[in-house]
Amino acid sequence: MKTWEALARFWTEQKEIGERLSLLERPWEERYLHWAWEDGDLVLHGELLPSTRRRMSTTRGGWCRGALRAREH
């Protein structure tokens, strides 16, 4: 069973990495309102109301470009 758990954890981490890379390729979406985890707190980022036909601005784990930028300052 440990092999399956390790494989599931690996798959989840790979999806998270893929979602982060995808968000890094679409920096304009950071301006849409979205909730993201920042230093253990849930924080509202963005300034524009999102349209109904857009992708998510955060990963399944709650990461967004704004959290990355906040750590740099």
Side-chain angles (χ1 to χ4, degrees):
M1 199 57 144
K2 289 183 180 182
T3 303
W4 289 113
E5 291 171 359
L7 186 58
R9 186 175 59 243
F10 173 78
W11 181 247
T12 301
E13 291 172 359
Q14 291 302 308
K15 282 200 280 188
E16 179 75 17
I17 290 169
E19 290 174 358
R20 287 183 183 202
L21 287 172
S22 181
L23 288 174
L24 288 171
E25 292 173 351
R26 299 185 320 268
W28 59 88
E29 290 192 1
E30 183 184 342
R31 295 186 63 205
Y32 293 116
L33 286 172
H34 61 278
W35 292 99
W37 288 105
E38 189 175 301
D39 297 328
D41 296 322
L42 195 57
V43 179
L44 184 62
H45 289 176
E47 56 200 40
L48 302 174
L49 290 176
S51 68
T52 57
R53 299 180 62 197
R54 69 169 190 87
R55 298 181 194 175
M56 295 299 296
S57 296
T58 61
T59 64
R60 295 167 201 240
W63 181 89
C64 80
R65 291 176 55 91
L68 179 65
R69 191 179 64 238
R71 287 187 189 148
E72 293 173 352
H73 295 288

